[in-house]
Coordinates of all heavy atoms in Angstrom, one line a residue:
L422 N 0.9 -1.2 0.0 CA 0.0 0.0 0.0 C 0.9 1.2 0.0 O 1.7 1.4 0.9 CB -0.9 0.0 1.2 CG -2.0 1.0 1.3 CD1 -3.0 0.7 0.3 CD2 -2.7 0.9 2.7
P423 N 0.8 2.1 -1.0 CA 1.6 3.3 -1.0 C 1.3 4.2 0.2 O 0.2 4.2 0.7 CB 1.1 4.0 -2.3 CG 0.6 3.0 -3.1 CD 0.0 1.9 -2.2
L424 N 2.3 4.9 0.6 CA 2.2 5.7 1.8 C 1.1 6.8 1.7 O 0.4 7.0 2.7 CB 3.6 6.4 2.1 CG 3.8 7.2 3.4 CD1 3.6 6.2 4.5 CD2 5.1 7.8 3.4
W425 N 1.0 7.5 0.6 CA 0.0 8.5 0.5 C -1.4 8.0 0.6 O -2.3 8.6 1.1 CB 0.2 9.4 -0.8 CG -0.2 8.6 -2.0 CD1 0.7 7.9 -2.8 CD2 -1.4 8.6 -2.7 NE1 0.0 7.4 -3.9 CE2 -1.3 7.8 -3.8 CE3 -2.7 9.2 -2.4 CZ2 -2.3 7.6 -4.7 CZ3 -3.7 8.9 -3.3 CH2 -3.5 8.2 -4.4
I426 N -1.6 6.7 0.1 CA -3.0 6.1 0.2 C -3.3 5.8 1.7 O -4.4 6.0 2.1 CB -3.1 4.8 -0.7 CG1 -3.0 5.2 -2.1 CG2 -4.3 4.1 -0.4 CD1 -3.0 4.1 -3.1
S427 N -2.3 5.4 2.4 CA -2.5 5.1 3.9 C -2.9 6.4 4.6 O -3.7 6.4 5.5 CB -1.3 4.4 4.5 OG -0.2 5.2 4.4
Y428 N -2.2 7.5 4.2 CA -2.5 8.8 4.8 C -4.0 9.2 4.6 O -4.7 9.6 5.4 CB -1.7 9.9 4.3 CG -0.2 9.9 4.7 CD1 0.8 10.5 4.0 CD2 0.2 9.2 5.9 CE1 2.1 10.5 4.4 CE2 1.5 9.2 6.3 CZ 2.4 9.9 5.5 OH 3.7 9.9 5.9
V429 N -4.4 9.0 3.3 CA -5.8 9.3 2.9 C -6.8 8.4 3.6 O -7.8 8.9 4.1 CB -5.9 9.3 1.4 CG1 -7.4 9.4 1.0 CG2 -5.1 10.4 0.7
L430 N -6.5 7.1 3.7 CA -7.4 6.2 4.3 C -7.6 6.5 5.8 O -8.7 6.5 6.4 CB -7.0 4.8 4.2 CG -7.1 4.2 2.8 CD1 -6.5 2.8 2.7 CD2 -8.6 4.2 2.3
C431 N -6.5 6.9 6.5 CA -6.5 7.2 7.9 C -7.4 8.5 8.1 O -8.2 8.6 9.0 CB -5.1 7.5 8.4 SG -4.2 5.9 8.7
Q432 N -7.2 9.5 7.1 CA -8.0 10.7 7.2 C -9.5 10.4 7.0 O -10.3 11.0 7.7 CB -7.5 11.7 6.2 CG -8.0 13.1 6.5 CD -7.5 13.6 7.8 OE1 -6.4 13.5 8.2 NE2 -8.4 14.3 8.5
L433 N -9.8 9.5 6.1 CA -11.2 9.1 5.9 C -11.8 8.5 7.2 O -13.0 8.7 7.5 CB -11.3 8.2 4.7 CG -11.2 8.8 3.4 CD1 -11.2 7.7 2.3 CD2 -12.3 9.8 3.1
I434 N -11.0 7.6 7.8 CA -11.5 7.0 9.1 C -11.8 8.1 10.1 O -12.8 8.1 10.8 CB -10.5 6.0 9.6 CG1 -10.4 4.8 8.7 CG2 -10.8 5.6 11.0 CD1 -9.3 3.8 8.9
I435 N -10.9 9.1 10.2 CA -11.1 10.2 11.1 C -12.4 11.0 10.8 O -13.2 11.3 11.7 CB -9.9 11.1 11.2 CG1 -8.7 10.4 11.8 CG2 -10.2 12.4 11.9 CD1 -7.4 11.1 11.6
Y436 N -12.6 11.3 9.5 CA -13.8 12.0 9.1 C -15.0 11.2 9.4 O -16.0 11.7 9.9 CB -13.8 12.3 7.6 CG -12.9 13.4 7.2 CD1 -12.2 13.3 6.0 CD2 -12.7 14.5 7.9 CE1 -11.4 14.3 5.5 CE2 -11.8 15.5 7.5 CZ -11.2 15.4 6.3 OH -10.4 16.5 5.9
I437 N -15.0 9.9 9.1 CA -16.2 9.0 9.4 C -16.5 9.0 10.9 O -17.7 9.1 11.3 CB -16.0 7.6 8.8 CG1 -16.0 7.7 7.2 CG2 -17.1 6.7 9.3 CD1 -15.5 6.5 6.5
T438 N -15.5 8.7 11.7 CA -15.8 8.5 13.1 C -16.2 9.9 13.7 O -17.1 10.0 14.6 CB -14.6 8.0 13.9 OG1 -13.4 8.8 13.6 CG2 -14.3 6.5 13.5
G439 N -15.6 11.0 13.3 CA -15.9 12.3 13.8 C -17.3 12.7 13.4 O -18.1 13.3 14.2
T440 N -17.7 12.4 12.2 CA -19.0 12.7 11.7 C -20.1 11.9 12.4 O -21.1 12.4 12.8 CB -19.1 12.5 10.2 OG1 -18.2 13.3 9.5 CG2 -20.5 12.8 9.6
L441 N -19.8 10.6 12.6 CA -20.8 9.8 13.4 C -20.9 10.3 14.8 O -22.1 10.3 15.3 CB -20.4 8.3 13.3 CG -20.5 7.6 12.0 CD1 -19.9 6.2 12.1 CD2 -22.0 7.6 11.6
W442 N -19.8 10.6 15.4 CA -19.9 11.1 16.8 C -20.7 12.4 16.9 O -21.5 12.6 17.7 CB -18.5 11.3 17.3 CG -18.4 12.0 18.6 CD1 -18.7 11.6 19.9 CD2 -18.1 13.4 18.8 NE1 -18.6 12.5 20.8 CE2 -18.2 13.7 20.2 CE3 -17.7 14.4 17.9 CZ2 -18.0 15.0 20.7 CZ3 -17.5 15.7 18.5 CH2 -17.6 15.9 19.8
Y443 N -20.4 13.3 16.0 CA -21.1 14.6 15.9 C -22.6 14.4 15.7 O -23.5 15.0 16.3 CB -20.5 15.5 14.9 CG -21.0 16.9 15.0 CD1 -20.4 17.8 15.8 CD2 -22.1 17.4 14.3 CE1 -20.8 19.1 15.9 CE2 -22.5 18.7 14.3 CZ -21.9 19.6 15.2 OH -22.3 20.9 15.3
C444 N -22.9 13.4 14.8 CA -24.3 13.1 14.5 C -25.1 12.6 15.7 O -26.2 13.0 15.9 CB -24.4 12.1 13.3 SG -26.0 11.9 12.6
I445 N -24.4 11.7 16.4 CA -25.1 11.1 17.6 C -25.1 12.1 18.7 O -26.2 12.2 19.4 CB -24.3 9.9 18.0 CG1 -24.5 8.8 17.0 CG2 -24.7 9.4 19.4 CD1 -23.6 7.6 17.1
A446 N -24.1 12.9 19.0 CA -24.0 13.7 20.1 C -24.7 15.1 20.0 O -25.3 15.6 20.9 CB -22.5 14.0 20.5
Y447 N -24.7 15.6 18.8 CA -25.2 17.0 18.6 C -26.4 17.2 17.7 O -27.2 18.0 17.9 CB -24.1 17.9 18.2 CG -23.0 18.1 19.2 CD1 -21.8 17.5 19.1 CD2 -23.2 18.7 20.4 CE1 -20.8 17.6 20.0 CE2 -22.3 18.8 21.4 CZ -21.0 18.3 21.2 OH -20.1 18.4 22.1
A448 N -26.3 16.5 16.6 CA -27.3 16.8 15.5 C -27.8 15.5 14.8 O -27.5 15.3 13.7 CB -26.8 17.8 14.5
P449 N -28.6 14.7 15.5 CA -29.1 13.5 14.8 C -30.0 13.9 13.6 O -30.9 14.7 13.7 CB -29.9 12.8 15.9 CG -30.2 13.8 16.9 CD -29.1 14.8 16.8
G450 N -29.8 13.1 12.5 CA -30.7 13.3 11.4 C -30.3 14.3 10.3 O -30.8 14.3 9.3
G451 N -29.3 15.1 10.6 CA -28.9 16.1 9.6 C -27.5 15.8 9.0 O -26.6 16.7 9.1
L452 N -27.3 14.7 8.3 CA -26.0 14.3 7.8 C -25.5 15.3 6.8 O -24.3 15.7 6.8 CB -26.1 12.9 7.2 CG -24.8 12.4 6.7 CD1 -23.8 12.2 7.8 CD2 -25.0 11.0 6.0
G453 N -26.3 15.9 5.9 CA -25.8 16.8 4.9 C -25.3 18.1 5.6 O -24.2 18.6 5.2
L454 N -26.0 18.6 6.5 CA -25.5 19.8 7.3 C -24.3 19.5 8.1 O -23.3 20.3 8.1 CB -26.6 20.3 8.2 CG -26.3 21.6 9.0 CD1 -26.0 22.7 8.0 CD2 -27.5 21.9 9.9
I455 N -24.2 18.3 8.7 CA -23.0 17.9 9.4 C -21.8 17.8 8.5 O -20.7 18.3 8.9 CB -23.3 16.6 10.2 CG1 -24.3 16.8 11.3 CG2 -22.0 16.1 10.8 CD1 -24.8 15.6 11.9
L456 N -22.0 17.3 7.3 CA -20.8 17.2 6.4 C -20.4 18.6 6.0 O -19.2 18.8 5.9 CB -21.2 16.4 5.2 CG -21.4 14.9 5.4 CD1 -21.9 14.2 4.2 CD2 -20.1 14.2 5.9
L457 N -21.3 19.5 5.8 CA -21.0 20.9 5.4 C -20.2 21.6 6.6 O -19.3 22.4 6.4 CB -22.2 21.7 5.0 CG -22.8 21.3 3.7 CD1 -24.1 22.1 3.5 CD2 -21.8 21.7 2.6
Q458 N -20.6 21.3 7.8 CA -20.0 21.9 9.0 C -18.7 21.3 9.5 O -17.8 22.0 9.9 CB -21.0 22.0 10.1 CG -22.2 22.8 9.9 CD -23.2 22.8 11.1 OE1 -23.2 21.8 11.8 NE2 -24.0 23.8 11.2
C459 N -18.7 20.0 9.4 CA -17.6 19.2 10.1 C -16.5 18.6 9.1 O -15.5 18.2 9.6 CB -18.2 18.1 11.0 SG -19.2 18.7 12.2
V460 N -16.9 18.5 7.9 CA -15.9 17.8 7.0 C -15.4 18.8 5.9 O -14.2 19.0 5.7 CB -16.6 16.6 6.3 CG1 -15.6 16.0 5.3 CG2 -16.9 15.6 7.4
L461 N -16.4 19.4 5.2 CA -16.0 20.3 4.1 C -15.0 21.4 4.4 O -14.0 21.6 3.6 CB -17.3 20.9 3.5 CG -17.1 21.6 2.1 CD1 -16.7 20.7 1.1 CD2 -18.4 22.3 1.7
P462 N -15.1 22.1 5.5 CA -14.1 23.1 5.8 C -12.7 22.6 6.0 O -11.7 23.4 5.9 CB -14.6 23.8 7.1 CG -16.0 23.4 7.2 CD -16.2 22.1 6.5
Y463 N -12.5 21.3 6.2 CA -11.2 20.7 6.6 C -10.6 20.0 5.4 O -9.5 19.5 5.5 CB -11.3 19.9 7.8 CG -11.8 20.6 9.0 CD1 -13.2 20.5 9.4 CD2 -11.0 21.5 9.7 CE1 -13.6 21.2 10.5 CE2 -11.5 22.2 10.7 CZ -12.8 22.1 11.2 OH -13.2 22.8 12.2
L464 N -11.3 19.8 4.3 CA -10.8 19.0 3.2 C -9.5 19.6 2.6 O -8.5 18.8 2.5 CB -11.8 18.8 2.1 CG -13.0 17.9 2.4 CD1 -14.0 17.8 1.3 CD2 -12.5 16.5 2.7
I465 N -9.5 20.8 2.3 CA -8.3 21.4 1.7 C -7.2 21.5 2.7 O -6.0 21.1 2.3 CB -8.7 22.8 1.0 CG1 -9.6 22.6 -0.2 CG2 -7.4 23.5 0.6 CD1 -10.1 23.8 -0.8
P466 N -7.4 22.0 3.9 CA -6.2 22.1 4.8 C -5.7 20.7 5.1 O -4.4 20.5 5.2 CB -6.8 22.7 6.1 CG -8.0 23.5 5.6 CD -8.5 22.7 4.5
D467 N -6.5 19.7 5.3 CA -6.0 18.3 5.5 C -5.3 17.7 4.3 O -4.3 17.0 4.4 CB -7.2 17.4 5.9 CG -7.7 17.7 7.4 OD1 -6.9 18.3 8.1 OD2 -8.7 17.2 7.7
A468 N -5.8 18.1 3.1 CA -5.1 17.6 1.9 C -3.7 18.2 1.8 O -2.7 17.6 1.5 CB -5.9 18.0 0.7
V469 N -3.6 19.5 2.2 CA -2.3 20.2 2.2 C -1.4 19.5 3.3 O -0.2 19.2 3.0 CB -2.4 21.7 2.5 CG1 -1.1 22.3 2.8 CG2 -3.1 22.3 1.3
K470 N -1.9 19.2 4.4 CA -1.1 18.5 5.5 C -0.7 17.1 5.0 O 0.5 16.7 5.3 CB -1.9 18.4 6.8 CG -2.0 19.7 7.5 CD -2.7 19.5 8.9 CE -4.2 19.4 8.7 NZ -4.8 19.4 10.0
I471 N -1.5 16.4 4.3 CA -1.1 15.1 3.8 C 0.0 15.2 2.8 O 1.0 14.5 2.8 CB -2.4 14.3 3.2 CG1 -3.3 13.9 4.4 CG2 -1.9 13.2 2.4 CD1 -4.6 13.4 3.9
W472 N -0.2 16.2 1.9 CA 0.8 16.4 0.9 C 2.2 16.8 1.5 O 3.2 16.3 1.1 CB 0.3 17.5 -0.1 CG 1.3 18.0 -1.1 CD1 1.8 17.3 -2.2 CD2 2.0 19.2 -1.1 NE1 2.7 18.0 -2.9 CE2 2.9 19.2 -2.2 CE3 2.0 20.3 -0.3 CZ2 3.7 20.2 -2.5 CZ3 2.9 21.4 -0.6 CH2 3.7 21.3 -1.7
M473 N 2.2 17.7 2.5 CA 3.4 18.1 3.2 C 4.0 16.9 4.0 O 5.2 16.7 3.9 CB 3.1 19.2 4.1 CG 2.8 20.5 3.4 SD 2.3 21.9 4.5 CE 3.8 22.1 5.4
A474 N 3.2 16.1 4.7 CA 3.7 15.0 5.4 C 4.3 13.9 4.5 O 5.4 13.3 4.8 CB 2.6 14.3 6.2
Y475 N 3.7 13.7 3.3 CA 4.2 12.7 2.4 C 5.5 13.2 1.8 O 6.5 12.5 1.7 CB 3.2 12.5 1.2 CG 3.7 11.6 0.2 CD1 3.8 10.2 0.4 CD2 4.1 12.1 -1.1 CE1 4.2 9.4 -0.5 CE2 4.5 11.2 -2.0 CZ 4.6 9.8 -1.8 OH 5.0 9.0 -2.7
G476 N 5.6 14.5 1.4 CA 6.9 15.0 0.9 C 8.0 15.0 2.0 O 9.1 14.7 1.7
L477 N 7.7 15.4 3.2 CA 8.7 15.3 4.3 C 9.1 13.9 4.6 O 10.3 13.7 4.8 CB 8.1 16.0 5.5 CG 9.0 16.2 6.7 CD1 10.2 17.1 6.3 CD2 8.2 16.7 7.9
S478 N 8.2 13.0 4.6 CA 8.6 11.6 4.9 C 9.5 11.1 3.8 O 10.4 10.3 4.0 CB 7.4 10.7 5.0 OG 6.6 10.6 3.8
K479 N 9.2 11.4 2.5 CA 10.1 11.0 1.4 C 11.5 11.6 1.5 O 12.5 10.9 1.3 CB 9.5 11.4 0.1 CG 8.3 10.6 -0.3 CD 8.8 9.1 -0.5 CE 7.6 8.3 -1.0 NZ 8.0 6.9 -1.2
R480 N 11.6 12.9 1.9 CA 12.9 13.5 2.1 C 13.7 13.0 3.3 O 14.9 12.9 3.2 CB 12.7 15.0 2.2 CG 12.3 15.7 0.9 CD 12.3 17.1 1.1 NE 11.9 17.7 -0.2 CZ 12.1 18.9 -0.5 NH1 12.8 19.7 0.3 NH2 11.7 19.4 -1.7
L481 N 13.0 12.6 4.4 CA 13.7 12.2 5.6 C 14.0 10.7 5.5 O 14.8 10.2 6.3 CB 12.8 12.5 6.8 CG 12.7 13.9 7.2 CD1 11.7 14.1 8.4 CD2 14.0 14.6 7.4
A482 N 13.4 9.9 4.6 CA 13.5 8.5 4.5 C 15.0 8.1 4.3 O 15.5 7.1 4.8 CB 12.7 7.9 3.4
K483 N 15.7 8.9 3.6 CA 17.1 8.6 3.3 C 18.0 8.8 4.6 O 19.1 8.2 4.6 CB 17.7 9.4 2.2 CG 17.6 10.9 2.4 CD 18.1 11.7 1.1 CE 17.8 13.1 1.3 NZ 18.1 13.9 0.0
Y484 N 17.5 9.5 5.6 CA 18.3 9.7 6.8 C 18.0 8.7 7.9 O 18.6 8.6 8.9 CB 18.1 11.1 7.4 CG 18.6 12.2 6.4 CD1 17.7 13.0 5.7 CD2 19.9 12.3 6.1 CE1 18.1 13.9 4.9 CE2 20.3 13.3 5.2 CZ 19.4 14.1 4.6 OH 19.8 15.1 3.7
I485 N 16.9 7.9 7.7 CA 16.5 6.9 8.7 C 17.0 5.6 8.3 O 16.6 5.1 7.2 CB 14.9 7.0 8.8 CG1 14.5 8.3 9.3 CG2 14.5 5.9 9.8 CD1 13.0 8.5 9.3
P486 N 17.7 4.9 9.1 CA 18.2 3.6 8.8 C 17.1 2.6 8.7 O 16.2 2.6 9.6 CB 19.3 3.3 9.9 CG 18.9 4.1 11.0 CD 18.2 5.3 10.4
K487 N 17.2 1.7 7.8 CA 16.2 0.6 7.7 C 16.7 -0.6 8.4 O 17.8 -1.0 8.3 CB 16.0 0.2 6.2 CG 15.4 1.4 5.4 CD 15.1 1.0 4.0 CE 14.6 2.2 3.3 NZ 13.7 2.0 2.3
T488 N 15.8 -1.1 9.3 CA 16.2 -2.3 10.1 C 15.5 -3.5 9.6 O 14.4 -3.5 9.0 CB 15.9 -2.0 11.6 OG1 14.6 -1.7 11.7 CG2 16.8 -0.9 12.1

């Protein structure tokens, strides 16, 4: 599994669990509104963080010894 795919899958798990928690705790029944409030505003910043983490991990990989 490529590293960037694992980053994206982990982020999806975070979005799903966070959305379910918010739906149960604060606003049952309004999934569309919850996605607009809790997921949509974070898509671009999280994509930038994934891109930066992937780039940094590729650059630092040559300095970390493989065991």
Side-chain angles (χ1 to χ4, degrees):
L422 189 66
L424 187 60
W425 70 272
I426 292 177
S427 63
Y428 289 158
V429 171
L430 289 176
C431 288
Q432 196 62 41
L433 285 175
I434 291 169
I435 291 169
Y436 285 145
I437 290 168
T438 56
T440 301
L441 289 174
W442 170 76
Y443 192 86
C444 189
I445 292 168
Y447 294 109
L452 184 61
L454 182 61
I455 291 170
L456 291 175
L457 286 173
Q458 291 176 339
C459 300
V460 175
L461 189 64
Y463 301 103
L464 287 177
I465 293 175
D467 286 343
V469 170
K470 287 188 279 185
I471 289 171
W472 175 71
M473 291 174 66
Y475 179 72
L477 185 62
S478 65
K479 287 294 185 184
R480 288 184 182 205
L481 293 177
K483 59 185 171 186
Y484 299 108
I485 299 172
K487 297 184 184 209
T488 57

